Amino acid sequence: MRILSGIQPSGDMHLGNYLGAIKQWVNVQNPEAFYCVVDLHALTLEIAPEVLREQTLDCATTLLACGIDPEISAVFVQSHVAYHAQMSWLLECVASYGELSRMTQFKEKASRKEGYRVGLLTYPVLMAADILLYDAVEVPVGDDQRQHLELARNVAERFNARYGDTLTVPVGVQPAAAARVMDLQEPTRKMSKSISSPLGSILLLDDPSDIEKKIKKAVTDTENEVRYDPENKPGLSNLLEIFSNVTGESPSVIASRYSRYGDLKSDVATAVIEELTPIAKRYRELRPDVAALRSVIADGARRAADVAGPVYQRAANAMGLL
Ligand code: AQP
């Protein structure tokens, strides 16, 4: 099945990226799956060129370390396939200013900085281009991307209504548990590369002792009943969701086995450490071989361009470009 998803090289990858997105990518990978490091998106916020370069390679390495097999799925860097930027312009002429300015992430990020970049407003259109260029049927993403995915669907439907049936309308797919992993210190906010505090996010390359410390210090509540209740007990429910994603059991069933927060935290820490240790090990093996990495992403870009080129052409023709 045709699948497309992406990740920004905007910082160190965390447990939310893995449980909400990358783990799903591994499970559904197939020769029609395209996974990209969306470096153009990372330019919407301040980022030093040398940092972006390194983080793009870090991010590609993480995908491989998590289990994406480049012999099966295509792993590539967004800016290496110029159709993304070209398609984005076509779609900017289909999307409306009003719908972009209503995006929650835009409002949040724009409110934090005066003189924000125009790309911060238009980035969801670039994301729509990323998806629609591949005729993606499914887009496995975390819950935080639900609104952007809806925009991609609306833009595709509007394009088709205006210019004839041209683009595939995709659906978003979320994991059963931990679709939105919350910050461990502020459990009403999602764990994020660009915003979370050091104690609030578990990084994929954290040492086991740090993972244990962060989970033990995770903010819960002043009650002592272990219960899955995201509204009233967001911190505890977040830990139960993480545990559920790792073990496959439902959060409520897990909760019923515990009477003390401390015991639950210990077991969550053990489960997360077991899940992440092989990933960190593989990452450390792969990351030094930059030539091999570059060869993987060059091959991925060729495969991506073979698919994206004809779709771009279809859209350009439909709009009347010569
Ligand atoms: N907390 C999360 N829980 C579940 N899934 C998540 N994703 C991100 N955070 C969580 C999913 O990871 C994929 C890549 O998203 P991203 O690169 O936008 O990740 P980020 O950590 O959110 O990065 P930033 O730089 O901090 O971006 P913004 O500011 O946009 O949040 C996506 O599938 C996403 O759903």
Side-chain angles (χ1 to χ4, degrees), residues 9 37 39 51-61 77 297:
V37 179
D39 54 347
V51 172
L52 178 56
R53 240 169 256 134
E54 286 306 306
Q55 287 184 174
T56 300
L57 293 171
D58 294 347
C59 213
T61 308
V77 174
I297 56 181

Side-chain angles (χ1 to χ4, degrees), residues 38-55:
V38 288
D39 54 347
L40 297 175
H41 288 283
L43 295 175
T44 56
L45 296 177
E46 234 163 84
I47 186 162
E50 62 279 11
V51 172
L52 178 56
R53 240 169 256 134
E54 286 306 306
Q55 287 184 174

Side-chain angles (χ1 to χ4, degrees), residues 7 23 43 52 81 83 117 144 159 165 173 188 195 199 204 230 242 287 300 309:
I7 184 154
K23 192 172 168 183
L43 295 175
L52 178 56
V81 181
Y83 299 115
R117 303 175 181 196
D144 58 311
F159 189 108
D165 207 10
V173 188
T188 50
I195 307 170
L199 271 181
L204 299 190
I242 291 170
R287 184 62 178 85

Side-chain angles (χ1 to χ4, degrees), residues 57-190:
L57 293 171
D58 294 347
C59 213
T61 308
T62 303
L63 300 188
L64 305 184
C66 288
I68 306 282
D69 181 350
E71 298 283 325
I72 302 172
S73 317
V75 175
F76 68 103
V77 174
Q78 181 189 33
S79 65
H80 293 175
V81 181
Y83 299 115
H84 288 249
Q86 287 177 277
M87 183 72 163
S88 185
W89 179 255
L90 302 191
L91 299 182
E92 277 192 31
C93 298
V94 175
S96 75
Y97 173 79
E99 65 192 338
L100 293 182
S101 58
R102 283 194 296 274
M103 293 286 125
T104 314
Q105 277 200 21
F106 166 69
K107 286 196 283 191
E108 257 175 38
K109 286 188 179 169
S111 68
R112 269 188 264 126
K113 187 161 169 56
E114 265 180 43
Y116 55 81
R117 303 175 181 196
V118 178
L120 200 58
L121 175 70
T122 56
Y123 129 84
V125 181
L126 178 58
M127 179 170 154
D130 299 336
I131 296 166
L132 300 177
L133 267 179
Y134 293 86
D135 280 333
V137 177
E138 285 196 354
V139 185
V141 279
D143 184 62
D144 58 311
Q145 293 300 326
R146 200 183 280 266
Q147 198 182 31
H148 291 159
L149 198 80
E150 204 46 42
L151 178 92
R153 288 169 52 82
N154 291 341
V155 166
E157 281 166 358
R158 198 174 307 144
F159 189 108
N160 290 344
R162 204 175 280 171
Y163 300 110
D165 207 10
T166 311
L167 302 173
T168 302
V169 182
V171 293
V173 188
Q174 266 100 42
R180 186 184 284 253
V181 176
M182 309 309 276
D183 185 289
L184 299 179
Q185 290 298 311
E186 279 184 66
T188 50
R189 200 173 72 185
K190 74 161 192 160

